[in-house]
């Protein structure tokens, strides 16, 4: 048995034992045959845990799931794209409850075992007259994972799927873009499944840890949504004794979960609206983990840094200025900065570099920026994308 | 005598009694005859106070001025555009000290009475071989204010000047843009002068208060610079007894200072890089002033809100989502949102509105967004600009 996570080619949400998925075209907002409604179904009752948006304005599905996940168990998720069911008041909550009820009846489950996820335009009621009749047409199967990954896309240009194997278990996942807002919403949704026999408590803690080093380190445009949600369901079908925190198997599970989440987080960043490049910012030598995260997120989220990367401009001053305003403890004298491994700043002062070489590195599809604060030993990595004129076009073009 | 501040047409930094200014073209970075070097001179020793960038990376002029202003007095400021003298280490500090020394010799002052301000590219040494000989060519005069306002411009498209009169005194000001970064820096500089007889302590407190409701409420792109500085010098030439806090004349001074600062802050927002519209976001009914500021700044700084305003898209969901992630206490149910006075959201739910009318309002050169949180009585206003494809072009076009 290996403890290093290994990626499964063409894997996805139904790769782990015990999970089925399916999707149909309900014509919710996008014209058929585009898939826009689907179900993730566990063959048996599952342990489940989720991390939700910290936005004070929470969409109806988020509020419903928070209640339903208090027992740490779930059986299915019914999901749609097109409309987010956010800022829709009590009627919106009734729609979310109705979606779950119709799905429960179709799947022969109790409604409380069904979760709901929606992504799309804010402030518009769900077209229940189209969603209701379409739910019973969804036929979850072992092969349906790829369809479901497509059904949750909005402005995403490609589906994001992953599966990793480690230590006798598999983790599968699918996600949709963060800060992808067209015409007026932002949602990052990620669903993970596993056949690992993980206890509910550890599952929750492991998910929180994995989200902290992956999805929480992605910044597309600084806007976080009313619908963001990362959910994991564990069937336990891989067998063996329960995996707990602090054990060797617990560490293997955490490592695999981190790998799956980081993979999806990078794919989300790479597919940011209008993005032409993935930006990876690694901060080392920070005084604390919080500082390392703060600096890496601030740099990767800086509009000026993003525009410079778009233009392949080695404007290191913008990186330094963003680090400086992040609130982290640092001093100009200590800074060391590289782009693609080439040192541009040492001891806080310009270091001679071959501009042509750095421009060529910035021309690549992945740009890595490394910043050593030299104030301690903590590090963190954040992901984002460049800022192109296309981003503005996408986000200002809305037919009213 | 009036206590309502009154704007002086074509006024500027030399409108108050006791101040001279002048500028020359030194060819620092821009080709002559563009003005890029200048001096603000008080005829006699002045009370002075300043507010500096909170960025941990502070440019040499900022560090020098912080030291020199400890006594609350100053006589002159020598300033340049083109290069920011930031991230230039000890040699950069020596250049700032040298600039002040050369100016002091020219003006027959002690070097400690001279402050320095620089704006431009980060990480490049000042061309002292061009700056040094140019300083003695500057001839400060009563008429030189407009030239000096031009000399500190970088990507600004227009100079920003103001003068207000109130209760027997005058306040003059000039500023350059915030988040105007071309090719790789961001600087907001503002200089104010007054002939009011204001004590050093009150001057400092009044400036801090005025900056909090003006420059600190401007967001162009979220990046704050290593060089930001707002400086006020008070000559006392208007005479009368010293103006102190808590008095009727103190209130008149504060009101006039706020008016001058808010005017310049709005002009900076209006002239943001690539901007086509000024956005004013007013939050009312917040639980605290901090919350009101947080929400208004987050909304006006949201890339998605900015892009929607550029496209005249009444995407109120983006405003609500930005408010929700601001960290302020609020509930969806309480929200009331208007654009240009037209209500779009009431009780957190969509309120029917005439889309054509709102699109026409969004097509204007000034867009006002009002958000009532209905959780308390505090309010705040923030200013910004829309996000256009031109912003990205400006900030990615750098000839390396």
């Amino acid at each position: 048995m290996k403890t290093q996570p290994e990626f499964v080619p063409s894997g996805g949400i139904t790769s782990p034992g015990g999970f089925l998925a399916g999707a149909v075209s309900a014509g919710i907002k996008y014209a058929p045959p585009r898939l826009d409604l689907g179900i993730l179904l566990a063959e048996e009752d599952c342990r489940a845990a989720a991390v939700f948006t910290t936005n004070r304005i929470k969409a109806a599905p988020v509020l419903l799931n928070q209640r339903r996940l208090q027992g740490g168990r779930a059986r299915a998720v019914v999901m749609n794209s097109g409309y987010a069911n956010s800022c829709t008041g009590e009627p919106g909550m009734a729609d979310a409850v109705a979606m779950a009820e119709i799905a429960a009846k179709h799947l022969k489950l109790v409604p409380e075992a069904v979760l709901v996820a929606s992504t799309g335009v804010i402030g518009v009621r769900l077209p229940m007259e189209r969603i209701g009749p379409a739910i019973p047409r969804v036929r979850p199967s072992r092969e349906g994972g790829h369809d479901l990954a497509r059904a949750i896309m909005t402005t995403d240009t490609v589906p994001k799927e992953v599966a990793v194997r480690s230590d006798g278990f598999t983790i599968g996942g699918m996600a949709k873009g963060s800060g992808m807002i067209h015409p007026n919403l932002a949602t990052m949704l990620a669903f993970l499944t596993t056949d690992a026999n993980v206890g509910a408590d550890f599952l929750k803690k492991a998910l929180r840890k994995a989200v902290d080093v992956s999805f929480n380190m992605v910044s597309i445009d600084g806007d976080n949504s009313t619908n963001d949600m990362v959910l994991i369901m564990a069937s336990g079908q891989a067998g063996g004794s329960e995996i707990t925190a602090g054990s060797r198997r617990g560490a293997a599970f955490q490592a695999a979960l981190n790998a799956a989440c980081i993979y999806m987080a990078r794919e989300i960043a790479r597919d940011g609206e209008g993005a032409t490049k993935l930006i990876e910012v690694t901060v080392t030598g920070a005084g604390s983990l919080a500082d390392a995260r703060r600096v890496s997120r601030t740099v990767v989220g800086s509009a000026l840094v993003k525009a410079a990367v778009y233009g392949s401009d080695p404007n290191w001053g913008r990186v330094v200025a963003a680090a400086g305003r992040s609130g982290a403890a640092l001093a100009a004298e200590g800074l060391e900065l590289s782009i693609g491994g080439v040192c541009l700043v040492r001891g806080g002062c310009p270091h001679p570099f071959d501009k042509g070489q750095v421009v060529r590195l910035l021309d690549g599809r992945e740009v890595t920026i490394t910043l050593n604060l030299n104030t301690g030993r903590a590090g963190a990595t954040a992901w984002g994308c460049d800022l192109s004129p296309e981003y503005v076009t996408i986000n200002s073009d809305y037919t009213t």
Side-chain angles (χ1 to χ4, degrees), chain A:
Chain A
M1 287 206 202
K2 302 190 58 157
T3 53
Q4 276 295 92
E6 186 183 299
F7 285 84
V8 180
S10 309
I13 194 82
T14 50
S15 293
F19 294 96
L20 313 174
V24 298
S25 170
I28 294 171
K29 174 164 185 292
Y30 308 110
R34 180 160 167 173
L35 301 170
D36 57 5
L37 181 77
I39 291 173
L40 172 64
L41 175 66
E43 291 174 327
E44 301 191 34
D45 204 29
C46 263
R47 290 154 196 157
V51 174
F52 296 102
T53 181
T54 56
N55 198 304
R56 295 270 186 147
I57 310 290
K58 289 176 174 58
V62 167
L63 296 169
L64 183 70
N65 295 350
Q66 283 183 324
R67 271 202 320 256
R68 295 201 167 167
L69 277 170
Q70 276 169 4
R73 304 194 78 82
R75 183 71 191 278
V77 192
V78 55
M79 47 189 95
N80 75 278
S81 58
Y83 296 102
N85 198 6
S86 173
C87 298
T88 45
E90 277 309 312
M93 180 54 84
D95 291 341
V97 169
M99 265 179 85
E101 259 170 16
I102 297 165
K105 201 175 161 192
H106 168 50
L107 303 168
K108 301 189 175 53
L109 305 174
V110 293
E112 290 69 29
V114 181
L115 307 176
V116 178
S118 298
T119 173
V121 183
I122 291 179
V124 179
R125 288 277 302 274
L126 293 177
M128 288 304 293
E129 70 286 2
R130 295 198 288 282
I131 290 175
I135 291 173
R137 290 198 282 113
V138 182
R139 302 282 169 204
S141 71
R142 288 304 307 248
E143 293 71 41
H146 301 314
D147 275 1
L148 190 58
R150 291 199 162 269
I152 57 171
M153 288 165 63
T154 53
T155 52
D156 305 64
T157 64
V158 288
K160 286 104 188 161
E161 299 180 83
V162 70
V164 294
R165 206 175 278 139
S166 173
D167 205 20
F169 63 84
T170 303
I171 295 175
M174 62 178 198
K176 77 163 297 285
S178 148
M180 310 286 172
I181 294 126
H182 186 69
N184 59 358
L185 86 132
T187 309
M188 201 279 298
L189 289 179
F191 299 94
L192 295 133
T193 52
T194 183
D195 49 14
N197 183 13
V198 184
D201 274 0
F202 179 46
L203 191 66
K204 198 168 178 175
K205 282 180 194 142
L207 182 65
R208 164 62 63 193
K209 271 197 185 172
V211 168
D212 272 350
V213 297
S214 57
F215 301 111
N216 278 348
M217 298 306 285
V218 170
S219 173
I220 302 295
D221 51 21
D223 277 285
N224 90 351
S225 128
T226 57
N227 292 55
D228 290 349
M229 166 166 48
V230 181
L231 172 74
I232 186 164
M233 297 170 77
S235 70
Q237 282 203 1
S241 59
E242 189 174 297
I243 300 175
T244 51
S247 65
R248 188 196 57 78
R249 293 170 64 225
F253 181 74
Q254 185 74 62
L257 189 58
N258 288 0
C261 288
I262 288 173
Y263 177 87
M264 289 195 287
R266 284 174 57 104
E267 292 307 296
I268 284 171
R270 191 193 307 278
D271 195 29
E273 277 177 335
T276 71
K277 300 170 190 178
L278 171 72
I279 308 178
E280 180 170 288
V281 176
T282 297
V283 169
T284 61
S288 68
L289 182 59
D291 271 4
R293 288 188 169 158
R294 206 171 277 141
V295 174
S296 56
R297 283 189 55 126
T298 305
V299 170
V300 90
S302 156
L304 295 169
V305 170
K306 288 155 65 81
V309 170
Y310 170 73
S312 297
D313 175 4
N315 265 344
W316 59 264
R318 294 183 181 178
V319 174
V320 170
R325 75 172 159 85
S326 69
L330 55 86
E333 304 76 64
L335 296 183
E336 225 175 290
L337 187 155
S338 330
I339 293 179
V342 177
C343 178
L344 277 69
V345 177
R346 181 159 290 163
C349 285
H351 185 78
F353 63 96
D354 176 347
K355 274 195 179 171
Q357 183 193 9
V358 176
V359 170
R360 277 191 304 279
L361 288 166
L362 286 164
D363 276 338
R365 297 275 298 143
E366 295 197 5
V367 171
T368 60
I369 298 173
T370 313
L371 189 63
N372 187 340
L373 308 184
N374 278 312
T375 60
R377 291 161 161 226
T381 299
W383 299 274
C385 59
D386 58 340
L387 176 61
S388 71
E390 182 65 12
Y391 172 88
V392 183
T393 309
I394 291 172
N395 283 298
S396 58
D397 260 16
Y398 175 47
T399 327
T400 47

